[in-house]
Amino acid sequence: MNASDRLAAYRSMRNFGTTPEPSGDTAAPSTGGLRFVVQRHRATALHYDLRFEMDGVLASWAVPKGPTLDPSVRRMAIHVEDHPIEYVDFEGVIPHGEYGGGDVIVWDRGTWVPHDTDDPVAAVAKGDLHADMYGEKLRGRLVLVRRGPAKEKEQWLLLHKHDDDAVDGWDPEDHPRSVISGRTNEEVKADPAYLWHSDRPAQDAAEVVVGAASGPSDDELAALDRLGDDGTWTVFGRELAVTHLDKELFPGRDGEDPVTKRELLAYTARVAPVVLPYVRDRAMNLHRYPDGATRKRFWQKALPHHAPDWVGRWDNPEADAGETRTYLVVDEPAALVWAANFGALEWHPWTSPTDAPDRPSYALFDIDPGERTTWEETLELARLHRAALEELGVRGVPKVTGSRGIQVWVPVRRGPTYAETRAWVERVSRTIGKLAPGQVSWKWRKAERQGRARLDFTQNAVGKTLVAPYSPRPAPGAPVSMPIGWQELDDPTLRPDGWTIRTTAARLDEHGDLFSGALVHDQRLPEFR
């Protein structure tokens, strides 16, 4: 049976002139791995929809109490109709009166691998599916077992195996937010901005709509424009006391006007929903420039006492006497706007989450050019990283820094320590360095490098940070740390500071968020000697 035939039941239940759900008429692009999604769905009753990609569709189960990492818990799951692959990105509101009417969030998504079978469709038909999960919330092995004979709306049993990812007492309701927008079901219901456009190609609907739809409204941006030098700005449902809006924070470049604080706040509001998945649930270090990019700067780690009560925060239980204990956590878009208003021209999240600060989410490669390093030499080093990761079968996500360098973030599943990721990155980096010995120095002190580049593996450490994607940089024109596709390393027009806060919106509209691959933490680092 082909995918179109398998979707006949799904399509017969829905009016695609009314529901924003995808029709499945447009073929979804291949990603090279099997995907899964879990949607938290408030219809007649709250339930979770667990969906596995197989044979061109999403095989689906409704799980009333949701999946869990607790191996002692058994969940009932109802096998329902197959859904189209495009449903992995569906978040929004199904209208009342339509089948499944209610609000839906993408509670988790990632990739999965069938265990002990190369034919998951046959395993489902047999009534016994074992799945190794590589999501942001779901990890380890899930097992689905049918109870009784095959029939319509058949009941299955869902459980998590006793493995390294099992967590006693783990409850899905303790983790209620979407992994693509950061919103709760209630927030989606109040403002169903992200709706699937069934008449768009799947890749456009998935890449463009999320970030653009969740940004500030035209009325909110107009209200900022109308304010004097100081005032109160209501954005994302929060009232912010904004100050010195006409202050010039970045010098102009190429004959352009300087960039004011008002412009910085408008930019921050526009990109905050896109940035949020990369900073949420992480301590944030702020590089503050209260009087602008050319004046005195300093690092702000501690959350100030005057921060509003609604701003997220985290107390580091491992902080020693004299060390920062309470950090800012940007867990909603308005918090990032608050930070920019506070003078944060650069945003530096920790590379580990607050619930496991010693377990990194990324292995980090930082190509740091020296004074004598040309841009072409920096690109050559980046291409060597591209080739090395391809050879290792590892997914890395590159971005230009907005300054002079290039960074590559390799998302990893939770498990390795910083010492382990640092050792792995060092081994790869030193191998790359041997291919360009005249361009790379391993000296710690900059004065000893003789102007050569450094492949800085030392950023893989607790509390170390790299600038967030889409963060401004303190330079003329307000350049931005911009995600790129690997193929852009071969584009002769590529520059490390080629995008600014004035051009980033057009880039996002055209290409979507090219860094989103960094949000799927599904990889184990392979052995490398």
Side-chain angles (χ1 to χ4, degrees):
M1 183 182 297
N2 61 36
S4 181
D5 292 337
R6 295 184 64 181
L7 293 176
Y10 169 86
R11 291 175 177 140
S12 70
M13 298 174 175
R14 290 161 175 84
N15 177 359
F16 295 107
T18 304
T19 181
E21 297 167 281
S23 65
D25 290 332
T26 303
S30 172
T31 62
L34 294 176
R35 290 162 285 186
F36 82 88
V37 65
V38 181
Q39 271 121 347
R40 189 176 186 271
H41 185 178
R42 297 194 308 176
T44 304
L46 169 66
H47 64 280
Y48 290 73
D49 294 311
L50 173 61
R51 312 188 195 282
F52 296 95
E53 179 180 2
M54 59 179 75
D55 199 24
V57 298
L58 295 175
S60 300
W61 286 260
V63 186
K65 294 186 178 181
T68 179
L69 302 182
D70 189 339
S72 68
V73 171
R74 303 292 184 266
R75 300 293 204 209
M76 180 181 72
I78 310 297
H79 193 194
V80 298
E81 74 279 3
D82 294 331
H83 281 53
I85 294 294
E86 297 96 322
Y87 224 95
V88 295
D89 295 303
F90 176 68
E91 181 168 293
V93 177
I94 302 171
H96 178 70
E98 284 294 310
Y99 180 80
D103 44 85
V104 179
I105 65 168
V106 177
W107 180 83
D108 194 24
R109 66 177 178 178
T111 58
W112 74 286
V113 177
H115 176 72
D116 203 25
T117 181
D118 57 3
D119 189 349
V121 175
V124 172
K126 184 180 177 182
D128 188 7
L129 178 67
H130 293 234
D132 290 331
M133 311 294 286
Y134 301 99
E136 295 190 44
K137 298 175 183 177
L138 294 182
R139 309 280 183 152
R141 185 167 301 160
L142 292 183
V143 177
L144 277 162
V145 180
R146 186 169 56 223
R147 304 176 69 179
K151 59 181 180 179
E152 186 178 358
K153 301 292 184 182
E154 58 202 16
Q155 291 191 11
W156 292 55
L157 187 69
L158 173 66
L159 57 92
H160 193 288
K161 296 287 285 187
H162 288 271
D163 56 26
D164 291 342
D165 294 290
V167 180
D168 291 339
W170 197 91
D171 187 341
E173 287 297 285
D174 293 335
H175 311 272
R177 292 190 174 272
S178 163
V179 296
I180 63 170
S181 70
R183 298 182 296 172
T184 64
N185 281 78
E186 194 64 34
E187 290 166 337
V188 167
K189 180 181 180 180
D191 182 17
Y194 173 41
L195 296 179
W196 188 275
H197 291 258
S198 298
D199 59 344
R200 288 189 180 183
Q203 63 270 22
D204 292 343
E207 291 182 359
V208 176
V209 179
V210 174
S214 301
S217 68
D218 291 342
D219 288 343
E220 288 173 323
L221 294 173
L224 177 64
D225 287 339
R226 288 195 300 268
L227 288 176
D229 196 40
D230 304 291
T232 299
W233 184 31
T234 301
V235 64
F236 298 115
R238 300 292 189 184
E239 288 190 354
L240 300 177
V242 293
T243 59
H244 309 299
L245 292 174
D246 296 322
K247 179 189 293 183
E248 295 180 359
L249 293 184
F250 304 84
R253 72 176 182 185
D254 300 330
E256 294 181 348
D257 292 334
V259 177
T260 65
K261 186 175 183 181
R262 190 188 307 270
E263 193 170 357
L264 171 67
L265 296 189
Y267 167 78
T268 304
R270 288 188 177 100
V271 300
V274 183
V275 174
L276 187 63
Y278 305 103
V279 299
R280 187 177 55 234
D281 300 325
R282 299 175 188 274
M284 175 82 85
N285 296 346
L286 303 176
H287 210 180
R288 290 188 60 207
Y289 294 73
D291 296 312
T294 62
R295 306 294 293 275
K296 183 180 179 180
R297 63 184 181 179
F298 58 92
W299 284 100
Q300 176 92 32
K301 295 184 179 181
L303 183 71
H305 296 299
H306 60 74
D309 292 342
W310 55 264
V311 168
R313 59 205 69 204
W314 170 66
D315 290 328
N316 182 6
E318 302 298 325
D320 294 327
E323 291 185 334
T324 299
R325 177 166 292 275
T326 303
Y327 288 82
L328 167 68
V329 176
V330 173
D331 55 7
E332 60 175 286
L336 192 63
V337 181
W338 173 85
N341 183 60
F342 187 48
L345 302 195
E346 291 186 308
W347 316 321
H348 288 250
W350 281 31
T351 54
S352 56
T354 55
D355 66 348
D358 60 339
R359 300 288 169 169
S361 304
Y362 303 97
L364 302 168
F365 292 87
D366 186 14
I367 305 171
D368 183 14
E371 293 88 346
R372 294 194 298 108
T373 307
T374 66
W375 174 235
E376 182 54 40
E377 288 172 337
T378 302
L379 289 173
E380 289 175 9
L381 291 170
R383 293 177 191 127
L384 289 173
H385 283 74
R386 176 176 65 186
L389 294 178
E390 286 178 353
E391 181 67 23
L392 291 168
V394 171
R395 185 180 73 258
V397 189
K399 65 183 179 73
V400 293
T401 63
S403 180
R404 298 186 63 223
I406 295 175
Q407 297 167 355
V408 182
W409 293 23
V410 175
V412 297
R413 64 178 304 187
R414 185 174 297 184
T417 64
Y418 274 105
E420 291 168 330
T421 57
R422 173 175 167 150
W424 188 86
V425 172
E426 180 178 4
R427 287 193 292 270
V428 176
S429 296
R430 288 192 180 275
T431 300
I432 291 172
K434 291 177 181 177
L435 300 175
Q439 298 180 26
V440 175
S441 171
W442 302 105
K443 297 294 184 181
W444 175 262
R445 296 181 64 244
K446 196 169 186 177
E448 298 176 354
R449 297 179 201 161
Q450 299 179 330
R452 289 179 290 180
R454 175 174 170 79
L455 305 183
D456 192 0
F457 54 83
T458 66
Q459 297 295 339
N460 294 275
V462 175
K464 290 277 191 178
T465 64
L466 290 179
V467 67
Y470 308 106
S471 172
R473 306 306 304 273
V480 168
S481 183
M482 179 61 70
I484 60 173
W486 281 114
Q487 74 283 358
E488 291 183 272
L489 294 177
D490 305 315
D491 183 346
T493 67
L494 181 67
R495 293 292 180 270
D497 59 352
W499 292 275
T500 71
I501 69 173
R502 290 170 175 162
T503 60
T504 293
R507 166 84 168 179
L508 283 167
D509 286 345
E510 182 178 0
H511 296 288
D513 178 15
L514 294 178
F515 216 62
S516 61
L519 296 174
V520 181
H521 301 279
D522 58 348
Q523 300 184 113
R524 294 185 186 273
L525 299 178
E527 288 292 329
F528 183 77
R529 300 293 180 187

